[in-house]
Amino acid sequence: MTVKSLTLPLDQEKISELRAGDKVCLTGWMYTARDAAHKRMAEALEIGEPLPVDLAGQTIYYVGPTPARPGQVIGSAGPTTSSRMDPYTPALLREGLKGMIGKGSRSAAVKEEIVRNRAVYFAAIGGAGALIARTIREAQMVAHHDLGTEAIYRLYVERFPVIVVNDTVGGDLYEQSLRSGHE
Amino acid sequence: MREVTYEQIAEAVSRLCIEANVELGPDVVSALREAKSREKSTVADEVLSQLLQNAEIAASERVPMCQDTGMAVFLVELGQDCHIVGGSLYDAINEGIRKGYGEGYLRASIVGDPIHRKNTGDNTPGIVHVELVEGDACTIHMTAKGFGSENMSRLQMMKPSDGLEAVKAFVVETVRLAGPNACPPVVVGVGLGGNFELSAYLAKRALFRPIGERSKSPDAAELELALLEEINRIGLGPQGMGGRTTALDVHVEMYATHIAGLPVAVNINCHASRHKHVTL
């Protein structure tokens, strides 16, 4: 299987070329956010306040890492279940968010917004937190320090392995896998 | 009467918390290897390779294999001739969690109450089930149970007329609905019978049994194999990306039930099925 290498932030033209099932290695800067950070971002947008970080063109990784040991950049850092972010995601896509990394399927509403905003949803391998952590070279806490593991971080990653689940033309890897059966 | 001290328990629990999170059990590793040899799909093969590699890195670098280091759940088999001295069993276990999760750099994932949701900061409290047994030993079984899979578990109070086929269909449907969220290949714990709360407990207890070990009850063992085959026919595969390995094993625990009922509970465990035990 061929592996595409892409740099972050993602280029619109490159996103549009991606198809469900493509294996991709990501290099560059991304943000982290999970349940509590998403709730706060949604609340900010509701009352017309700016987001703590500009998401236009950016990628969010749904992760709540374990604490780093002294000398480590980050602890174990695999993806969390993306569907918990679904209620908040359409608003963030409308703010210009281009990429999301997590595990598990998305709601119909999110999939529609992915196509409408020409964004992409990637899956990282759930539970492979030790392996993924090796690709994370830098981690800077940028917002919501009080949320602990749920704070927003900016991560620099090198060859972070993901697989395209939802592409810009409505392709869905999970649906394709179930349709094709166990062979 | 044998004595076991509060400190012995806290120390043992602290070690269990760290070991469970960094060392994937040999039963799970060999089940993943076996699954890899059966997979024809290149994506499935690649995912299983990465999971095995992940387990090696975790063990050698003493890094948690998964960032969800779980809610700490304990099943304590307490001998009726064993006397715990120096404090309560529950306090000792929570002290062990506090120490283990802190010193092991494990993630604190517990909020003090489900409404206000403020993190307790040290992964306490854990969940403790005590079973009184014969003898004077105290065996502590621990699991670091992640919520990616816990959230996908289900319970149904079926009617006796629904029968075994409906039970099977419910279990298979639960795994299908869990899909990629539960981090397949999963281990499926099924609690059959008892009442509302016992069925859920049986399903959890079933997950403590090593992968590959069949139930001592011939009926339950037969059901385990039938369910495993059916689940692996779904085609969900590792991480829901297609393949033959949706479940590594199915464990069924049964108990007597009421003439009017057929409770069935399904507790799903992700591939990082972390279980360790110690006897004091």
Side-chain angles (χ1 to χ4, degrees):
Chain A
M1 191 194 288
T2 55
V3 182
K4 294 185 178 178
S5 293
L6 291 183
T7 54
L8 298 169
L10 291 163
D11 174 76
Q12 183 65 63
E13 204 176 312
K14 295 259 166 60
I15 298 173
S16 305
E17 286 167 8
L18 294 172
R19 289 295 172 267
D22 283 354
K23 228 177 122 183
V24 184
C25 274
L26 300 172
T27 297
W29 291 99
M30 58 169 78
Y31 288 105
T32 74
R34 45 172 293 153
D35 307 58
H38 270 78
K39 184 162 186 268
R40 287 204 190 163
M41 286 194 280
E43 285 164 357
L45 289 174
E46 251 172 50
I47 57 171
E49 275 185 7
L51 295 178
V53 293
D54 181 6
L55 289 180
Q58 299 296 329
T59 296
I60 293 182
Y61 180 27
Y62 304 139
V63 61
T66 60
R69 281 177 195 280
Q72 270 185 338
V73 171
I74 200 163
S76 194
T80 195
T81 307
S82 308
S83 59
R84 295 197 316 271
M85 274 32 94
D86 284 351
Y88 311 116
T89 300
L92 300 185
L93 286 167
R94 289 193 289 269
E95 287 294 304
L97 178 69
K98 282 292 166 190
M100 293 157 286
I101 306 168
K103 65 164 163 110
S105 41
R106 309 307 303 262
S107 68
V110 170
K111 290 184 204 175
E112 266 173 42
E113 289 291 336
I114 286 173
V115 174
R116 190 171 298 140
N117 296 285
R118 295 163 68 216
V120 61
Y121 169 55
F122 300 104
I125 296 194
L131 182 74
I132 291 171
R134 284 194 165 177
T135 71
I136 302 173
R137 306 289 181 209
E138 268 188 77
Q140 309 158 348
M141 196 187 277
V142 292
H144 302 320
H145 295 48
D146 61 307
L147 294 181
T149 187
E150 294 201 72
I152 296 180
Y153 283 81
R154 200 166 165 252
L155 302 182
Y156 188 81
V157 300
E158 263 177 35
R159 299 193 60 75
F160 182 105
V162 293
I163 295 178
V164 177
V165 174
N166 294 104
D167 60 31
T168 53
V169 292
D172 185 326
L173 173 65
Y174 295 135
E175 281 177 13
Q176 288 167 17
S177 306
L178 277 179
R179 270 201 304 273
S180 62
H182 73 280
E183 292 304 315
Chain B
M1 188 68 84
R2 226 179 113 250
E3 287 190 347
V4 170
T5 67
Y6 177 97
E7 286 76 20
Q8 272 177 293
I9 294 168
E11 190 53 44
V13 164
S14 156
R15 266 202 317 278
L16 288 176
C17 292
I18 296 173
E19 282 169 14
N21 274 295
V22 302
E23 292 166 11
L24 193 58
D27 58 327
V28 190
V29 172
S30 70
L32 288 171
R33 283 211 187 103
E34 220 173 279
K36 188 170 140 50
S37 71
R38 280 195 306 266
E39 285 292 355
K40 295 271 183 281
S41 136
T42 51
V43 183
D45 183 80
E46 167 80 22
V47 169
L48 293 169
S49 297
Q50 292 200 19
L51 294 183
L52 286 162
Q53 208 187 331
N54 184 66
E56 273 176 33
I57 296 170
S60 67
E61 294 181 7
R62 310 302 285 174
V63 171
M65 66 193 80
C66 177
Q67 75 292 335
D68 185 354
T69 51
M71 188 162 200
V73 180
F74 297 84
L75 197 170
V76 181
E77 290 173 291
L78 183 63
Q80 58 194 14
D81 298 322
C82 175
H83 182 208
I84 293 166
V85 294
S88 93
L89 171 68
Y90 297 93
D91 290 347
I93 286 178
N94 281 325
E95 183 162 328
I97 295 172
R98 202 170 291 124
K99 186 165 183 281
Y101 274 73
E103 290 175 2
Y105 291 86
L106 307 176
R107 193 179 81 184
S109 308
I110 304 305
V111 293
D113 78 88
I115 310 284
H116 300 291
R117 309 196 66 83
K118 189 175 170 351
N119 199 304
T120 61
D122 57 13
N123 219 51
T124 64
I127 290 176
V128 183
H129 304 286
V130 181
E131 289 190 11
L132 205 58
V133 297
E134 283 183 25
D136 61 5
C138 172
T139 299
I140 304 173
H141 301 265
M142 184 263 176
T143 179
K145 186 67 176 77
F147 264 51
S149 54
E150 191 77 355
N151 277 344
M152 307 314 291
S153 304
R154 293 200 303 167
L155 188 150
Q156 174 94 52
M157 301 304 287
M158 290 194 172
K159 292 184 291 295
S161 62
D162 290 331
L164 197 56
E165 285 312 307
V167 169
K168 281 197 216 168
F170 178 72
V171 177
V172 176
E173 187 195 28
T174 302
V175 176
R176 192 191 310 252
L177 288 172
N181 294 357
C183 284
V186 294
V187 182
V188 185
V190 180
L192 193 55
N195 62 355
F196 178 75
E197 82 276 6
L198 187 71
S199 61
Y201 172 66
L202 291 174
K204 175 72 79 204
R205 198 173 71 178
L207 294 176
F208 282 83
R209 201 197 308 155
I211 290 174
E213 190 182 304
R214 296 272 65 83
S215 168
K216 288 183 186 69
S217 143
D219 284 339
E222 191 186 328
L223 185 56
E224 288 170 355
L225 292 173
L227 282 169
L228 183 60
E229 200 186 319
E230 256 190 70
I231 288 167
N232 284 334
R233 267 207 301 265
I234 302 174
L236 202 60
Q239 297 291 309
M241 291 170 184
R244 297 171 173 223
T245 325
T246 298
L248 296 173
D249 209 351
V250 180
H251 294 154
V252 178
E253 297 269 314
M254 298 201 291
Y255 195 80
T257 190
H258 188 279
I259 47 173
L262 179 54
V264 52
V266 185
N267 193 204
I268 298 188
N269 206 145
C270 59
H271 60 78
S273 176
R274 293 155 287 185
H275 295 86
K276 295 274 174 199
H277 70 273
V278 64
T279 298
L280 298 174

